[in-house]
Amino acid sequence: VSCKEAETTSKGSVNYDKVREAIVKVIEVDDNIAPAMLRLAWHSSGSYDKKTNTGGSDGATMRFSPEKDYAANAGLFRARDALEPVKKQFPEITYADLWTLAGAVAVEEMGGPKVAWRPGRRDAVSGQECPPDGRLPDADKGTLSGTVQHIRDIFYRMGFNDQEIVALVGAHAVGHTHKQFSGYDGPWTRAPTTFSNELFRELLENKWTLRKWNGPDMFEDPTGEIIMLPTDMALTWDKEFRKYVETYAADQDRFFEDFAKAFQKLEELGVKAFQEEAKKKRGWFS
Ligand code: CCH
């Protein structure tokens, strides 16, 4: 399946500093929207498949069915709707650029690292370009080894290594799971609007047991107030992943640095304009 050329690109006249300010204003009204913006950026980018060079943030195809209805994307309308007034205010920016910029701004506004971001993504014109369902990770594959393998399958397909995987999942320091969207219930940390290395510290320092309830398998601490998904726990069960969990738990600066790099890479996966630019540069040397 080839990705049909999209027809709209951000016009050169966009003042991205002003767009940033407008995104910050949306977050100031309700800071719970910042984690949702971060997740929107991740889910629009994480559909990338390296082998076929399809999916990814280019196109903002999650505006369309079937992608917007995929189970993994349940609840992300909150972030898309919250950004709609910004798109109205700056009609020249593409949705694809706006969503990824909002992800970067959200990380920064929550106290995280500055993520390098550049414009150039196009908007697709229809759902024909939507990636197939199933490209984003499930939180549980029933067994420890199956869950670990699943995480690797999904993120290696995008082109990430174990260190980048652990850094990226550190984003679960912020936000909540929502019963009505994913079946899971609760935040990972006690400061869910502060971007930090808290996920890693909680994973290593707290005591995690399976919650007894009739929802999906998930872990909770002794208070029952904070939670971990099976995939989060898997990062401590696998030896290779655990190495990085320990590194990031001990060193927030290192986490911030690695997260910023991996997140920029994620947001740029499969962006045609950047790929063409890189090809031109390589061509000059060959
Ligand atoms: Fe995630 N995530 N995520 N996640 N995620 C959920 C919520 C957030 C997985 C599953 C879930 C990343 C990786 C993974 C965020 C950022 C990232 C939810 C709850 C599930 C389930 C959704 C709901 O109920 O609303 C799994 C599985 C993986 C990989 O193994 C990565 C990578 C990132 C970003 C870089 C953020 C932020 C949230 C909170 C959203 C909110 O609305 O508060």
Side-chain angles (χ1 to χ4, degrees):
V1 189
S2 76
C3 209
K4 204 181 87 186
E5 284 286 298
E7 261 118 62
T8 353
T9 352
S10 296
K11 309 288 182 302
S13 56
V14 185
N15 182 334
Y16 294 102
D17 289 335
K18 291 268 182 270
V19 181
R20 276 177 190 273
E21 283 170 27
I23 295 168
V24 168
K25 283 215 183 91
V26 174
I27 295 173
E28 280 168 356
V29 174
D30 170 15
D31 58 0
N32 276 311
I33 206 66
M37 286 177 180
L38 170 52
R39 189 165 196 244
L40 174 64
W42 141 236
H43 276 210
S44 69
S45 309
S47 59
Y48 183 63
D49 174 51
K50 205 169 119 177
K51 238 185 248 149
T52 55
N53 196 30
T54 59
S57 65
D58 216 8
T61 48
M62 206 200 292
R63 286 168 299 142
F64 305 115
S65 285
E67 189 178 353
K68 71 178 166 61
D69 312 313
Y70 293 163
N73 293 331
L76 288 180
F77 68 87
R78 290 159 57 234
R80 293 196 302 269
D81 290 356
L83 288 168
E84 203 49 44
V86 181
K87 172 68 178 165
K88 291 250 154 59
Q89 201 184 336
F90 302 93
E92 323 79 41
I93 192 172
T94 58
Y95 281 99
D97 276 341
L98 177 61
W99 291 355
T100 50
L101 178 58
V105 170
V107 169
E108 216 175 310
E109 273 305 292
M110 292 188 282
K114 189 165 173 54
V115 176
W117 178 89
R118 53 185 172 149
R121 294 164 193 77
R122 296 167 296 186
D123 278 347
V125 289
S126 79
Q128 273 181 324
E129 295 159 57
C130 289
D133 198 4
R135 286 197 176 175
L136 292 158
D138 294 327
D140 188 3
K141 284 290 173 193
T143 61
L144 162 55
S145 61
T147 302
V148 166
Q149 190 56 49
H150 173 66
I151 300 171
R152 289 209 165 93
D153 288 345
I154 293 281
F155 283 91
Y156 287 4
R157 188 210 65 227
M158 296 173 220
F160 289 112
N161 62 30
D162 288 351
Q163 172 259 310
E164 292 168 313
I165 293 171
V166 177
L168 285 170
V169 178
H172 283 167
V174 296
H176 293 74
T177 62
H178 304 83
K179 208 157 173 5
Q180 72 273 31
F181 299 142
S182 62
Y184 297 99
D185 190 21
W188 290 263
T189 68
R190 292 180 187 280
T193 55
T194 303
F195 195 95
S196 71
N197 67 343
E198 185 86 1
L199 183 85
F200 304 116
R201 286 190 284 127
E202 287 291 4
L203 273 172
L204 296 180
E205 291 164 22
N206 216 329
K207 188 170 169 328
W208 297 100
T209 53
L210 257 183
R211 174 176 289 185
K212 293 191 186 67
W213 72 326
N214 54 27
D217 277 358
M218 86 183 184
F219 294 79
E220 63 183 10
D221 85 334
T223 67
E225 287 163 8
I226 55 176
I227 63 106
M228 291 289 166
L229 302 170
T231 41
D232 302 312
M233 294 304 299
L235 301 183
T236 68
W237 296 330
D238 179 80
K239 235 176 66 194
E240 265 310 294
F241 285 146
R242 189 181 176 97
K243 250 179 23 195
Y244 300 108
V245 172
E246 286 171 356
T247 303
Y248 296 143
D251 188 347
Q252 176 159 283
D253 292 345
R254 175 77 190 280
F255 166 53
F256 275 21
E257 205 178 296
D258 287 356
F259 179 85
K261 273 193 215 138
F263 195 68
Q264 182 194 1
K265 175 172 162 180
L266 173 69
E267 291 201 325
E268 297 195 355
L269 293 174
V271 178
K272 299 291 176 292
F274 303 159
Q275 290 178 337
E276 272 148 33
E277 199 184 302
K279 211 156 78 187
K280 263 191 221 142
K281 267 192 205 147
R282 275 199 306 275
W284 195 83
F285 290 104
S286 60

